[in-house]
Amino acid sequence: MNAIELAPYRDAAPLEVRDLACRRGERLILEGVSFTVSPGRALILRAPNGAGKTTLLRAIARLTPPVRGTVSLSPERMTWFGHADGVKAQLTVAENLRFWAAVHGMQDITPALEAFRLADLADRPAAYLSAGQRRRLGLARLLVARRPVWLLDEPTVSLDAATVATFAGVVGAHLAAGGLALIATHIPLGLAEEDVLDVTPFRARESAEHAHDPFLDAGFATARDGREEVSR
Amino acid sequence: MSIWEYANPVRFMRLSDRVLPWLAALSAILMLVALVWGFFFTPDDYRQGSTVKIIFIHVPSAMIAINAWVMMLIASLIWLVRRHHVSALAAKAAAPVGAVMTMIALVTGAVWGEPMWGTWWAWDPRLTSFLILFLFYLGYIALWAAIDNPDTAADLTSVLAIVGSVFAVLSRYAALIWNQGLHQGASLSMDRAEHVADVFYYPLVTAIIAFILLFVTLVILRTRTEIRARRLRALLAREARE
Amino acid sequence: MMPDLGKYAVWVLSAYGAALVLIAALVIQSIWRDRKMARMLAEVEMRSVRQDGDRG
Amino acid sequence: MMALLRRDLALALRSGGGFGLSLAFFLIVVVFVPFGVGPDTGVLARIAPGVLWIAALLSCLLSLDRIFQLDWEDGSLDALALAPLPLEGVVAMKALAHWLTTGLPLTVIAPLLGVLLNLPGAAAPWIFLSLLVGTPALSLLGAFGAALTVGIRRGGLLLSLLVMPLYIPTLIFGALTASRAGDGLDFFTPFALLGGVTLLAAALIPFAAAAAIRINLR
């Protein structure tokens, strides 16, 4: 399983998140999120659905700009993998992957194909892949992006046990090469280098939500009787 | 205290609550004065006959139609730069007012055009430009209505207002080149003697002030409605969470 | 009282009429919507005040 | 950037939807005009430049919503936003791909369809040139509308409503160029302005559309 080996990432640096507050839509979801992930470590985000795992990952990627707080690494060192896998049905497996490789300035897609057991399927149009194969193709993008920080949102959804193991092997190789990963997942990957962070305690307090949304301001209740206030 | 304090929704509600009745009364009175003056106490024009009385609606509504868009553009820029919610909502509130003013300018223009030019509608550059402006208002209003998240809607409509302004101006010049029109030149300029006689000038200025006041009143009123809608939305969302 | 509008009476009156109808519609719609929103908000506002009291 | 262009072209050609469809639509609109206005060749010749321009513009609208919608739905746009390409470049490339698969083919067949409308010979090359210069603006402005409406389900109709007013200068200058050329009048001014509008769109729209996409991705 650990047959995969990745070239070490240059200038590995820890990902430090300090006092991050993030929103989804108008609403403040999380506040005061602080943690550090060292190169070679994976952080598993655990929380019930809707608690803000995706929100946190999107804030770290700066896709949704954080309301407050700092993230030590720039989005240029990160790559994102979300619920949707970004696979184009009309293109072949190799074409799909070659596109993402070219976007990230890479040439060789063979290691990525092999790591996800897709080498035999390279010339097959993605429309004719099984759900699991398709998902693997989506994940293979992570390897051609060559970014040291992986932000993964439920990457193992709809994967069978064997594929989860393959994926865990790839993440392990990524960590061994000095990369780091943030993974929102319910299914444990069984990585040796993983820490777990429960997001639930960072849920935004009501007072913070009110401070964030000017339309929840308590002043409104009196503003309704503005004239009364003037006369007072 | 800086002027931006009033960009806080609560402060805006308090202040506007005090100002609005006076503003509404003033604009109603002035509107009455201007239209009665214009309709009953102005002479006929020697060329245009009594149709010249339409000027007291046509010109002010046309001015508001354009300036409402300019105001929306400025409010949108303030929102994009300073993130003041009242600014974004004021832009939203002004759009229907601007659209109705554009419609009034178009309708009165058509009714004026029929006896003067012998046709209800001529593809005159000015009329055409107002028709185009009307389309821009429709698009802007439709985009606000289509987006569920109000902050996203405010951002996207602001971007549309900027790009739309550029292309609205371009359309204006395109229409000019496309058809050299029948329309008379500006009725009102700094050098007024050249254009409009005093008997028309003073009621016209009164009407313009009345329309400006009406516009301000309506925008404040509608901004208050939008703020209340946002407050309602926020409260309901909070209830749903509990 | 009525000024002599001459042969253009129909046009002048219809221009004024149309403009006044449009303005009136806009004003009435604005007021009506504001009232409605204020009413709905007051309802929810009362509810949340009561809940805050329960919580307190 | 070239990879993105190549991918979008491959997608447009293979999915069959956009590419052939807008050409067929163009043909149908042009064929329908004589049914509407009558077969009088004199009338048709006079309105031909305008009809061809309007038909091209409408055909362009058909495939606009695909510019960003599919990449938005399958998460590619999230990944592209983090990729080393600037989002402005992504917009420009996607607009270019749209133009190559829609505007350019329309431009090429427009003079041929002009025959159906009895388009004056003198106007034929200028229909071609005005569309060649003007349709890139249609794709760019369309990409802007697509970026604004990417988060909206069934945004197609709204997209048309937003984009069509922006098309007015291009339509006016484009049709004016061709019709004045057909009448043997001076057409340099509208033609130059047509190019100006396209250049302005090329300079302004990638930034506006990229801003709209960033807002929608939040």
Side-chain angles (χ1 to χ4, degrees), chain A residues 23-206:
Chain A
R23 64 200 182 90
R24 176 173 63 214
E26 303 118 277
R27 201 188 144 196
L28 192 70
I29 302 283
L30 299 169
E31 59 166 333
V33 184
S34 298
F35 58 79
T36 303
V37 187
S38 315
R41 306 290 299 177
L43 186 68
I44 309 288
L45 303 176
R46 214 37 85 64
N49 283 333
K53 296 183 300 260
T54 306
T55 307
L56 178 58
L57 287 177
R58 290 187 80 88
I60 290 170
R62 260 56 68 86
L63 285 170
T64 311
V67 176
R68 234 191 351 268
T70 54
V71 179
S72 64
L73 299 180
S74 89
E76 275 134 49
R77 312 182 72 161
M78 304 174 182
T79 181
W80 165 270
F81 186 83
H83 300 263
D85 49 29
V87 169
K88 295 290 176 195
Q90 298 94 332
L91 303 182
T92 67
V93 170
E95 282 171 334
N96 263 297
L97 214 49
R98 217 173 281 132
F99 164 67
W100 288 110
V103 164
H104 288 89
M106 298 271 297
Q107 303 293 325
D108 193 10
I109 59 163
T110 338
L113 285 174
E114 277 164 5
F116 282 96
R117 297 185 279 122
L118 291 164
D120 298 341
L121 304 169
D123 294 325
R124 185 180 290 197
Y128 302 106
L129 295 180
S130 71
Q133 290 166 339
R134 200 187 146 99
R135 193 86 187 148
R136 273 178 4 230
L137 171 56
L139 287 164
R141 192 188 79 217
L142 294 170
L143 288 178
V144 296
R146 279 292 298 173
R147 295 252 171 117
V149 179
W150 288 4
L151 305 172
L152 311 174
D153 189 16
E154 304 283 359
T156 48
V157 159
S158 82
L159 287 186
D160 56 39
T163 314
V164 172
T166 308
F167 177 58
V170 172
V171 176
H174 168 68
L175 301 180
L180 61 93
L182 260 73
I183 311 172
T185 183
H186 296 294
I187 306 157
L189 286 174
L191 296 166
E193 307 84 355
E194 71 181 27
D195 307 301
V196 174
L197 178 75
D198 187 357
V199 176
T200 327
F202 300 115
R203 200 183 134 173
R205 285 162 297 133
E206 203 174 331

Side-chain angles (χ1 to χ4, degrees), chain B residues 58-137:
Chain B
H58 180 71
V59 169
S61 59
M63 288 176 87
I64 299 293
I66 295 171
N67 287 303
W69 184 275
V70 174
M71 177 241 144
M72 280 159 53
L73 175 64
I74 294 169
S76 299
L77 289 171
I78 292 175
W79 159 251
L80 286 181
V81 175
R82 299 200 60 139
R83 313 303 287 180
H84 289 308
H85 285 86
V86 173
S87 184
L89 295 178
K92 182 185 185 186
V97 184
V100 171
M101 288 297 168
T102 314
M103 214 197 291
I104 292 174
L106 284 171
V107 169
T108 53
V111 174
W112 197 354
E114 211 283 329
M116 288 302 105
W117 307 332
T119 172
W120 292 103
W121 184 261
W123 288 96
D124 159 85
R126 258 182 212 232
L127 285 179
T128 311
S129 303
F130 275 91
L131 196 60
I132 294 169
L133 182 63
F134 189 64
L135 297 180
F136 276 100
Y137 275 119

Side-chain angles (χ1 to χ4, degrees), chain A residues 26 215, chain B residues 68-69 71-73 75-80 83-97 99 135-162 222-223 225-227 229-230 233, chain C residues 33, chain D residues 148-149 151-152 158-159 161-162 215-216 218:
Chain A
E26 303 118 277
F215 295 97
Chain B
W69 184 275
M71 177 241 144
M72 280 159 53
L73 175 64
S76 299
L77 289 171
I78 292 175
W79 159 251
L80 286 181
R83 313 303 287 180
H84 289 308
H85 285 86
V86 173
S87 184
L89 295 178
K92 182 185 185 186
V97 184
L135 297 180
F136 276 100
Y137 275 119
L138 290 187
Y140 179 88
I141 294 169
L143 187 62
W144 260 109
I147 302 168
D148 187 48
N149 181 324
D151 283 356
T152 306
D155 282 332
L156 292 177
T157 50
S158 298
V159 177
L160 178 65
I162 295 168
R222 297 184 74 97
T223 307
T225 314
E226 298 300 341
I227 290 175
R230 281 294 297 270
R233 193 185 147 93
Chain C
R33 222 181 120 236
Chain D
L148 283 178
T149 55
I152 301 168
L158 176 65
L159 173 56
L161 181 63
L162 295 181
I215 292 162
N216 270 316
R218 285 205 306 246

